[in-house]
Amino acid sequence: MERGYCPKCAKELVIPDALEEFSCLYCGERLHISQLLKEPAPPANPEEDYFAFQRDALHAAVDYPQSMDHMSRPLFFDYFEKYFADCSAPFEALERCACAPGTDRGALARRAAQWLMEQVDAWFRHQKGWKLRPRRSDLRERTKFTVAIFLVPTACRAAPVIGRAFSEALRERWMERFPESPFELTTYEELTDGFKKNPLCFVTTAVCEFLGESDDCRMLTDFRAFRDGYLRSQPGGEAQIREYYDVAPGIVMRIDHCEDRAKIYPALYRRYLLPCHAALQAGDNARCHALYRRMMGALIKSYGG
């Protein structure tokens, strides 16, 4: 049996081990076992909690301009946990607001997202050089990356009741202001899975997916055979595969959040992947290897590693 307290009505619940999802016997709130509180929730004070959200939420969006520089596998997980420790408090406060009796959670999510987007927009306008296009674009893209890869997963993890609705509303508000600079919602679990994908073929897979090719297309199949055969047998081959494993997922995440990703992926395809594949088909494994290493070097230089 699992004992805990409902986050909405603060009543104690005893849940059989076989149940992961259930409804509170007292208030009817639909809950997951992970949402049970270990201690009774303190008396609701939505006004104070919303003030706590407003006090700290902007910090989570704009005070981490170096977040995209921590997207290699050795750096990402520790950096995310540090960010979560620093920035989860405002979303925990928003969660307490959402769990107060009588709260319209949809309205609260929209209100909070609107407020935060207004603060981000005002912060942009007060930054030196914001009106200069190159600086403006870089500042906005770095902020968007922090929001998409760190703030949204933190909100969903720290506030399971309202985090997703808040994140969806925040994305809508962002795209109203910056339609040319969209981003997709993700979770910490999805980010973690991203670092576990096929290392050598990660960039190739992303390019092929963008161009509408299937996961079993000829190019991907040939590159996987190249990795498992030729590359693993070369001196230092295993080390190179581990290197790709460390840096490729973060590179793809950064490209996916670039305004010009629609140009980047086709350019990679024409400049590197087509010649790599042609070399493979001609039986020139060494040339394919050299071209792929050249591509990874260029990507690391441009998008970190």
Side-chain angles (χ1 to χ4, degrees), residues 164-300:
R164 183 71 183 187
F166 165 79
S167 299
E168 290 171 351
L170 182 63
R171 178 179 177 273
E172 290 175 3
R173 301 291 84 77
W174 177 279
M175 293 186 65
E176 286 174 0
R177 284 171 169 77
F178 309 117
E180 74 281 13
S181 182
F183 67 88
E184 298 300 325
L185 300 182
T186 191
T187 65
Y188 179 74
E189 290 72 24
E190 289 168 343
L191 292 171
T192 300
D193 288 344
F195 281 96
K196 296 177 181 177
K197 287 186 178 180
N198 209 319
L200 179 59
C201 296
F202 199 103
V203 174
T204 311
T205 300
V207 173
C208 289
E209 285 179 353
F210 182 83
L211 297 176
E213 298 288 346
S214 66
D215 190 60
D216 60 352
C217 69
R218 177 66 182 275
M219 179 177 284
L220 283 173
T221 300
D222 289 348
F223 273 122
R224 287 165 183 154
F226 165 79
R227 176 205 63 208
D228 293 333
Y230 176 83
L231 184 55
R232 287 192 189 280
S233 68
Q234 298 303 299
E238 290 285 355
Q240 288 178 31
I241 292 174
R242 287 194 298 272
E243 177 189 6
Y244 297 144
Y245 179 85
D246 286 342
V247 304
I251 288 171
V252 170
M253 289 180 203
R254 287 192 60 175
I255 293 175
D256 280 345
H257 288 83
C258 289
E259 290 182 15
D260 57 347
R261 66 189 292 265
K263 296 179 180 179
I264 296 171
Y265 283 133
L268 289 173
Y269 185 76
R270 291 190 302 269
R271 184 171 183 180
Y272 294 109
L273 296 182
L274 277 178
C276 275
H277 194 225
L280 274 186
Q281 291 179 310
D284 193 346
N285 287 325
R287 175 167 171 74
C288 174
H289 188 195
L291 285 168
Y292 201 92
R293 294 214 68 184
R294 190 181 306 166
M295 179 183 74
M296 290 304 300
L299 288 172
I300 291 170

Side-chain angles (χ1 to χ4, degrees), residues 50-211:
Y50 193 72
F51 174 77
F53 165 78
Q54 291 181 316
R55 183 186 61 218
D56 297 326
L58 181 62
H59 161 71
V62 304
D63 286 344
Y64 294 84
Q66 304 306 316
S67 63
M68 65 167 55
D69 300 328
H70 292 79
M71 291 307 297
S72 67
R73 187 172 180 272
L75 300 178
F76 173 75
F77 296 101
D78 286 345
Y79 189 82
F80 186 93
E81 292 303 327
K82 180 181 183 302
Y83 177 93
F84 185 86
D86 290 346
C87 300
S88 60
F91 306 108
E92 291 168 353
L94 191 65
E95 181 84 340
R96 292 193 294 273
C97 289
C99 293
T103 298
D104 182 334
R105 292 173 181 170
L108 175 64
R110 293 188 294 273
R111 174 188 172 199
Q114 178 69 27
W115 178 87
L116 180 55
M117 194 63 239
E118 288 172 355
Q119 300 307 303
V120 170
D121 204 21
W123 182 84
F124 280 155
R125 287 185 272 108
H126 282 86
Q127 299 309 299
K128 184 178 180 181
W130 171 243
K131 294 183 179 180
L132 301 177
R133 178 62 191 177
R135 172 61 181 159
R136 175 179 178 176
S137 179
D138 179 67
L139 182 64
R140 183 177 63 200
E141 290 307 292
R142 285 184 172 272
T143 302
K144 179 183 74 172
F145 193 86
T146 299
V147 169
I149 302 299
F150 292 90
L151 187 150
V152 164
T154 292
C156 292
R157 182 172 162 185
V161 169
I162 197 174
R164 183 71 183 187
F166 165 79
S167 299
E168 290 171 351
L170 182 63
R171 178 179 177 273
E172 290 175 3
R173 301 291 84 77
W174 177 279
M175 293 186 65
E176 286 174 0
R177 284 171 169 77
F178 309 117
E180 74 281 13
S181 182
F183 67 88
E184 298 300 325
L185 300 182
T186 191
T187 65
Y188 179 74
E189 290 72 24
E190 289 168 343
L191 292 171
T192 300
D193 288 344
F195 281 96
K196 296 177 181 177
K197 287 186 178 180
N198 209 319
L200 179 59
C201 296
F202 199 103
V203 174
T204 311
T205 300
V207 173
C208 289
E209 285 179 353
F210 182 83
L211 297 176

